[in-house]
Amino acid sequence: MRVALVTESYPPDVNGVAHCALQTARHLVRRGHRPLVIAPAPAPGVRVPHEGPAPVVRVPSLPLPGYPQFRVALPSRRPAAAVAAHRPDIIHLASPFVLGARGVALAARFGIPAVAVYQTDLAGYARTYLGAGELAAWRRIRAVHAAADLTLAPSSASLHALRAHNVPRVRLWARGVDSARFHPDRRDPAVRRELASDGELLVGYIGRLAPEKHVDLLARAAALPGVRVVVVGDGPSERALRAALPRARFLGRRTGDDLARLYAALDVFVHTGPFETFCQTVQEAQASGVAVVAPAAGGPLDLVEHGRTGLLVPPRDPEALREAVAVLRDDAALRARLAGGGLAAVAGRTWEAVGDQLLGHYAALLDARAVAAG
């Protein structure tokens, strides 16, 4: 099977959309299929080494106003030429909005099914960055996804939101986790000594430093005695966060095995963003054997069972976050129990298992097309 994988961002270290696109391409190759990735070009001067499993066609792009990490594809003949040359059986649209909308049109033009994967809460971003435009964002989301043959939502919360906004033909498709890379065995005593030299509770946030992530909510937790907060990642909010969290240690963006060692060094992982359609970092922390605290909103509701696989707190509530960290600081047995519960919960969430579920969605669409054709 040939698949044209159209993604609004690439390479995989940009964000969750790109990471999922990479893992999808890898799984397609693993199962003997032939993917082609179509993605916006990176910013001028940014060198992106090709390390993916599939060929990549770059489309000219510009940064989205107010959100420079997200590239918007410019009108171009490249997507149509790439699809025509690849002759795909199906078009996979990763978080379609601009380039993905072009992908839907190409699917109709070439008479092949399109699968649209919802991954980004663009309506929430409109509220955060523009202070308006939420309804317009939902109109755009609905128009693009309604034109696809199938929309896949990463979490129950996303599925309900899409259906509430009249997006048709929605099914659930979660995300996998690399449990070989993110594993308790990555825990390195030397890393812990370097980050928490006085034996403090090591609490970490890992992810993009942007307004919608609300990392500043960690300020009260960071002021707790016996707690050391580390922040891993970069982004436009870094300067403001350094001022808001003067006792925290900022480690910059990390990837690969270096990132895995940092996860495993933590005692507690905290996620603060209320707009997560899935929240991949929660899974990675759980796979690393770390107790998790996350907001009771969006994707984390599917990943964290309160009191068993982590702790859920009201979103955007710094005092509740502080209290959760304090409880875990004072109760090592609870930390261990939550870490063990989270680790057990992710055992079956491999990218291989999730990738095979995606192939099942592809097969059902192709079968339906074949039946409709006679």
Side-chain angles (χ1 to χ4, degrees):
M1 177 169 50
R2 294 170 181 260
V3 178
L5 206 166
V6 182
T7 174
E8 301 286 350
S9 58
Y10 209 74
D13 61 354
V14 172
N15 56 31
V17 172
H19 178 72
C20 186
L22 171 73
Q23 295 295 345
T24 297
R26 281 179 175 164
H27 191 71
L28 288 168
V29 171
R30 221 171 9 239
R31 294 292 187 256
H33 304 295
R34 297 183 61 184
L36 171 73
V37 177
I38 302 173
V46 175
R47 182 178 177 274
V48 180
H50 178 66
E51 53 184 28
V56 180
V57 172
R58 299 287 185 185
V59 177
S61 66
L62 287 173
L64 184 70
Y67 192 50
Q69 293 88 350
F70 193 93
R71 304 292 296 185
V72 178
L74 296 173
S76 166
R77 296 179 180 177
R78 290 185 190 176
V83 169
H86 190 58
R87 294 180 291 112
D89 301 291
I90 201 161
I91 293 184
H92 175 121
L93 310 169
S95 198
F97 195 71
V98 178
L99 183 56
R102 177 65 172 152
V104 172
L106 289 173
R109 172 178 164 185
F110 288 100
I112 54 180
V115 175
V117 182
Y118 178 73
Q119 290 179 254
T120 306
D121 182 3
L122 289 168
Y125 287 0
R127 285 197 307 272
T128 300
Y129 286 91
L130 305 176
E134 183 177 0
L135 292 178
W138 270 115
R139 284 195 295 270
R140 176 66 173 181
I141 291 166
R142 183 167 53 249
V144 174
H145 283 265
D149 296 82
L150 176 67
T151 286
L152 297 177
S155 64
S156 300
S158 296
L159 184 144
H160 295 323
L162 289 163
R163 288 179 174 172
H165 286 87
N166 300 315
V167 175
R169 301 178 297 280
V170 184
R171 298 290 184 273
L172 189 65
W173 179 57
R175 301 290 171 268
V177 64
D178 185 347
S179 54
R181 167 162 286 168
F182 300 104
H183 193 278
D185 287 349
R186 297 283 184 172
R187 192 174 179 88
D188 184 343
V191 174
R192 275 198 57 79
R193 286 194 299 270
E194 198 269 331
L195 295 175
S197 57
D198 294 328
E200 302 98 326
L201 183 82
L202 191 58
V203 176
Y205 167 86
I206 296 174
R208 193 167 61 254
L209 307 184
E212 76 275 7
K213 300 299 184 180
H214 293 276
V215 184
D216 57 298
L217 293 172
L218 277 171
R220 294 186 187 180
L224 283 167
V227 170
R228 171 64 65 184
V229 168
V230 295
V231 177
V232 180
D234 59 13
S237 296
E238 182 172 350
R239 178 178 294 181
L241 288 171
R242 284 180 178 273
L245 303 169
R247 294 184 56 192
R249 183 163 178 183
F250 287 76
L251 303 180
R253 185 169 66 89
R254 303 294 182 92
T255 59
D257 291 344
D258 186 25
L259 177 62
R261 283 189 292 270
L262 287 171
Y263 266 117
L266 300 176
D267 297 306
V268 177
F269 171 82
V270 175
H271 190 80
T272 51
F275 300 125
E276 300 301 312
T277 59
F278 184 73
C279 204
Q280 183 68 14
T281 54
V282 163
Q283 278 204 141
E284 291 169 350
Q286 290 174 325
S288 303
V290 177
V292 167
V293 179
L301 289 171
D302 283 359
L303 301 176
V304 179
E305 182 181 341
H306 183 71
R308 192 180 75 83
T309 65
L311 297 180
L312 292 171
V313 298
R316 305 193 212 186
D317 187 335
E319 186 56 34
L321 197 60
R322 175 192 178 280
E323 180 61 24
V325 171
V327 166
L328 292 175
R329 177 198 60 188
D330 299 336
D331 194 338
L334 176 59
R335 288 202 309 273
R337 189 161 65 249
L338 296 178
L343 183 60
V346 299
R349 299 183 199 156
T350 64
W351 277 109
E352 288 78 7
V354 169
D356 284 343
Q357 292 169 11
L358 178 63
L359 291 176
H361 287 299
Y362 287 173
L365 273 184
L366 293 172
D367 289 346
R369 281 290 180 107
V371 169

